[in-house]
Amino acid sequence: MKRKNRATIVLLSGILLTVSFIFNFANLTLLKNAALITATIIAGYPIVVKAWQALRMKAFSIELLVTIAVIGALFIGEYVESGAVTFLFLFGAYLEARSLEKTRSSLKSLMDMAPLEATVIRGGKTVVIPADEVEVGDRVLIQSGEKIAIDGTVIIGQAFVNEAAITGESVPARKQIDDTVFSGTIIDNGYIEVTAEKVGEDTTFSKIIELVEEAQESKAKTQKFLEKFASFYTPAILLLSVIVYIFTKDIELTLTFLVIACPGALVISAPVSIVAGIGNGAVKGILIKGGDVMEKLAKIDVFVFDKTGTLTKGQPEVTAIKTYGMNEITFLTMVAEAEIISEHHLGQTVVKEAHKRGLPLVYKPTHFEVVKGNGIGATVNHNHLLIGNRKWMTANQVNIDKEIQVYATDQEKKGYTAIIVAVNKTIAGVISIADQIRPEAEESIQSLKQSGIKQIYMLTGDNKHAAEKVANQLGIDGVFAELLPEDKVNKIKELKNNGFNVAMVGDGINDAPAIATADIGFAMGGTGTDVAMETADVVIMADKLEKLSEAHRLAKATIRNMKQNMFFAVGTVIFLLVGVLLKQVFLASGMLIHELSVLIVIMNALRLVYFRKTNKKNRSSLNGTLLPSSR
């Protein structure tokens, strides 16, 4: 039933109840009873309909219990009770629906941000079209105050863009040529023209809405248990009501027992908390994929981090090049040509260095081979290059002289990643690469410990020296270095086998196996990364480490709120049933208390909508520290 129709019925039945009291004072018994019966029929009709629909689905609902009680009350002439019960039940359902809408307000606020129109250039003319009619490749024009309708790349202009709908961050981000913008964000100031790359349901914003909607429908284990419990509980109450009547011969007591035992507040105690918690996270750029994930996240006691792109900025730079028997320019050009089609961040770092120096990359690599965690092999202009770590050289029978070993180890002890390059099975040089630690990394690690995390580890394919340096500076409890992707998976399994609830934080692509193996997988910086959204249980859209502790705190608060609701709901039912059996609680008053308990459960869950992170911020001492990045 639509909320507007329910409100009309509630209002009408309420008026009739009021009129019946007036007739009662005037000693107009016949008119009073007529008004009460009419009010019962009007308010009871939607209740009976829902009860019948549930029965057709072979389900025993709370509406069925109320229907039986109301029919019984009419049968024994308790018209005041029948009218009051139907009015209170329907009025309670109306208030419940209004309150539940509030718990979903976070999702609604996101949906309200969805762009409706876009200005594009078609046939040389500027036209305004519905947002869902924009096509890939269209040139979209956006100016101050307008919403961006697509994901795309800026080709003209610059602007400050409010990306709160995506990342949860209120500070506008500066966007200029070659930067990426996302649907659902708003230009605070400026003008840009964008080439559309993702449109309609493929945009990041649309996927966020879809993920949050699916998450709010996803059920926690506790919620599933409560629903299963209710399916047995309701028919059990019917049976108990019959037993009560057999022993007491009191039909009114039996009908009261029937209604008061309804598990309404208990059934909604879990889902209303989960929905509010997920909605709160979504507004902050924390996408938690469902109630089951929320429960698991609240139990996490060990966090495991990937290093590159997670604890570091993922923007490595070449810091030194050491060659052996080859000109540096020739050497760098050859390595960059070999790496040009590599998807690994280290390979692209070398290519970027070559471009920065203005070196022409003429030749394309052939016979390209990638071995994750080790390196690459490629043929460039008839020269075969091996680029990677010591394991990769050893695996290809390349001898590393002691002088080169000492130099590479020295670079690693300084905190750099040393990439060894062999040309035609002879070492030609070593490239040192470093990354910068994230400014918020140290504070975020401490914040996780404050939120109750027992241990924090780092898994990396980088060398032991560099990895330990990062771990020591960040206050990480343990580090496992020089790992292949399958080694990371095994470490996650080992921690789980030791009884820990493990969360893995990575970029959602290179660390996908480890993320999938952990109890909870986090993907950092989900904007524009489809794989990250699909692989991880929690996606941090803002790519900010401090969101991890916020997600953990939110999950614990949500589960704590859910348990509060459950205990309160059970306690209320026990209190009412004892009151009924002692003949201190009656049908109308019991229904009033029952409906109030439902509303209190919902109002308690609403506190999660306004949940905020409470830990104090500390200044990081690691801003700008250069650190290595692993192959």
Side-chain angles (χ1 to χ4, degrees):
M1 178 185 292
K2 292 183 179 179
R3 194 179 72 190
K4 185 176 180 181
N5 294 338
R6 185 186 286 120
T8 302
I9 292 175
V10 168
L11 179 62
L12 185 57
S13 62
I15 292 172
L16 286 169
L17 285 175
T18 304
V19 169
S20 73
F21 288 125
I22 295 173
F23 287 152
N24 185 53
F25 284 120
N27 291 320
L28 300 172
T29 304
L30 187 62
L31 290 176
K32 179 196 77 172
N33 290 341
L36 287 170
I37 293 171
T38 305
T40 301
I41 293 171
I42 291 173
Y45 175 74
I47 300 173
V48 173
V49 170
K50 288 195 71 174
W52 173 245
Q53 289 174 342
L55 275 176
R56 291 181 63 184
M57 299 295 292
K58 298 181 180 180
F60 293 96
S61 65
I62 184 175
E63 286 81 11
L64 177 62
L65 300 183
V66 174
T67 298
I68 294 172
V70 169
I71 292 173
L74 287 172
F75 181 75
I76 63 175
E78 293 290 342
Y79 304 128
V80 174
E81 298 286 353
S82 66
V85 166
T86 51
F87 170 76
L88 287 171
F89 185 83
L90 202 63
F91 184 55
Y94 170 74
L95 292 179
E96 180 182 333
R98 288 292 301 270
S99 300
L100 283 172
E101 282 184 12
K102 183 65 176 175
T103 66
R104 292 180 179 269
S105 61
S106 301
L107 176 59
K108 186 176 184 299
S109 65
L110 281 177
M111 296 182 72
D112 289 342
M113 294 179 186
L116 300 177
E117 296 180 331
T119 303
V120 301
I121 297 177
R122 292 271 177 89
K125 296 181 179 180
T126 301
V127 294
V128 177
I129 61 174
D132 57 4
E133 292 184 9
V134 180
E135 298 177 356
V136 174
D138 275 346
R139 188 170 174 178
V140 184
L141 286 59
I142 316 109
Q143 54 189 355
S144 294
E146 291 185 346
K147 292 179 182 177
I148 299 174
I150 44 79
D151 289 3
T153 302
V154 178
I155 55 174
I156 292 177
Q158 62 179 357
F160 285 93
V161 179
N162 185 332
E163 296 185 321
I166 301 293
T167 66
E169 298 297 311
S170 57
V171 179
R174 184 179 180 182
K175 300 291 182 178
Q176 51 194 359
I177 294 174
D178 292 334
D179 284 343
T180 301
V181 294
F182 302 97
S183 173
T185 58
I186 303 171
I187 292 188
D188 280 356
N189 184 29
Y191 171 85
I192 54 175
E193 295 184 14
V194 179
T195 299
E197 295 172 352
K198 293 182 180 180
V199 300
E201 295 180 354
D202 293 329
T203 64
T204 300
F205 183 77
S206 294
K207 288 184 177 181
I208 289 174
I209 295 295
E210 182 182 350
L211 282 174
V212 176
E213 285 179 328
E214 289 177 356
Q216 292 193 339
E217 296 301 323
S218 175
K219 298 176 181 177
K221 287 183 179 178
T222 303
Q223 184 179 347
K224 292 175 183 176
F225 168 77
L226 288 176
E227 290 181 355
K228 188 175 182 180
F229 168 77
S231 66
F232 291 101
Y233 179 82
T234 304
I237 290 300
L238 286 171
L239 179 61
L240 283 173
S241 298
V242 173
I243 295 173
V244 168
Y245 178 72
I246 291 173
F247 280 95
T248 65
K249 304 299 182 183
D250 187 336
I251 186 66
E252 186 174 351
L253 175 67
T254 302
L255 295 175
T256 304
F257 179 89
L258 191 69
V259 171
I260 299 311
C262 295
L266 183 61
V267 170
I268 70 164
S269 60
V272 72
S273 297
I274 295 295
V275 166
I278 288 173
N280 178 294
V283 168
K284 297 175 181 177
I286 302 170
L287 303 187
I288 300 173
K289 296 184 181 179
D292 191 35
V293 172
M294 187 76 79
E295 281 191 318
K296 288 181 180 179
L297 179 55
K299 296 176 182 177
I300 292 298
D301 49 20
V302 169
F303 261 77
V304 178
F305 286 86
D306 169 53
K307 180 174 70 67
T308 305
T310 303
L311 293 173
T312 64
K313 291 182 177 180
Q315 299 171 352
E317 296 179 352
V318 173
T319 57
I321 297 176
K322 176 77 170 178
T323 60
Y324 300 93
M326 183 178 290
N327 175 273
E328 182 176 309
I329 297 300
T330 304
F331 172 78
L332 178 59
T333 301
M334 188 180 297
V335 176
E337 288 174 336
E339 292 275 19
I340 198 164
I341 63 173
S342 171
E343 295 181 354
H344 198 279
H345 58 276
L346 291 187
Q348 289 306 306
T349 299
V350 175
V351 175
K352 184 175 70 173
E353 178 68 17
H355 285 317
K356 189 165 66 175
R357 297 193 186 191
L359 303 180
L361 305 183
V362 178
Y363 297 102
K364 300 293 182 183
T366 58
H367 303 99
F368 193 82
E369 176 190 10
V370 178
V371 177
K372 289 184 178 180
N374 283 328
I376 71 164
T379 299
V380 177
N381 190 26
H382 306 296
N383 291 304
H384 184 64
L385 277 72
L386 295 168
I387 307 169
N389 54 28
R390 292 176 181 80
K391 289 181 182 178
W392 186 228
M393 298 301 138
T394 301
N396 287 276
Q397 292 83 48
V398 175
N399 181 51
I400 305 176
D401 292 342
K402 185 176 180 180
E403 177 191 351
I404 300 172
Q405 289 272 21
V406 171
Y407 175 79
T409 301
D410 182 60
Q411 291 294 297
E412 290 167 353
K413 287 181 178 179
K414 290 179 180 178
Y416 303 140
T417 297
I419 298 177
I420 302 172
V421 180
V423 178
N424 300 321
K425 297 282 185 140
T426 300
I427 300 297
V430 177
I431 300 176
S432 299
I433 293 181
D435 201 351
Q436 284 189 330
I437 230 172
R438 288 176 182 259
E440 75 276 15
E442 182 182 26
E443 178 188 332
S444 299
I445 295 296
Q446 295 306 313
S447 181
L448 280 170
K449 291 182 177 180
Q450 291 169 14
S451 73
I453 299 302
K454 295 177 181 177
Q455 293 178 310
I456 297 177
Y457 295 98
M458 182 177 72
L459 306 182
T460 179
D462 211 341
N463 66 82
K464 183 179 179 181
H465 300 296
E468 288 180 347
K469 183 174 182 179
V470 178
N472 291 335
Q473 293 187 60
L474 291 180
I476 291 173
D477 300 306
V479 59
F480 301 98
E482 300 177 10
L483 301 179
L484 298 173
E486 56 267 30
D487 296 328
K488 292 183 180 182
V489 170
N490 291 333
K491 286 297 180 183
I492 296 290
K493 289 180 178 178
E494 184 180 326
L495 287 169
K496 290 175 67 176
N497 290 337
N498 288 334
F500 293 112
N501 295 303
V502 183
M504 172 69 190
V505 187
D507 60 14
I509 301 174
N510 295 331
D511 300 301
I515 286 174
T517 303
D519 294 295
I520 291 293
F522 280 87
M524 299 297 299
T527 47
T529 309
D530 295 341
V531 175
M533 286 190 177
E534 293 169 5
T535 305
D537 300 298
V538 183
V539 181
I540 306 297
M541 301 302 296
D543 196 19
K544 292 197 173 182
L545 289 173
E546 61 261 34
K547 295 283 186 179
L548 296 172
S549 61
E550 190 167 0
H552 187 236
R553 283 185 167 89
L554 175 61
K556 293 205 297 185
T558 300
I559 301 307
R560 184 166 57 246
N561 186 280
M562 182 177 72
K563 290 178 178 178
Q564 291 169 354
N565 283 343
M566 289 169 59
F567 285 127
F568 174 76
V570 171
T572 301
V573 170
I574 293 173
F575 168 77
L576 287 174
L577 287 179
V578 171
V580 169
L581 295 175
L582 295 177
K583 297 190 176 181
Q584 298 299 310
V585 175
F586 304 98
L587 196 58
S589 59
M591 178 57 72
L592 177 61
I593 296 172
H594 178 273
E595 291 303 327
L596 286 175
S597 73
V598 171
L599 292 178
I600 290 172
V601 162
I602 295 172
M603 295 304 292
N604 185 47
L606 278 175
R607 295 190 302 118
L608 289 169
V609 175
Y610 306 102
F611 174 82
R612 292 290 182 270
K613 182 179 177 183
T614 57
N615 63 305
K616 295 180 180 179
K617 290 187 175 181
N618 303 309
R619 287 186 178 180
S620 173
S621 61
L622 299 176
N623 293 7
T625 303
L626 283 175
L627 292 170
S629 186
S630 66
R631 165 65 72 171

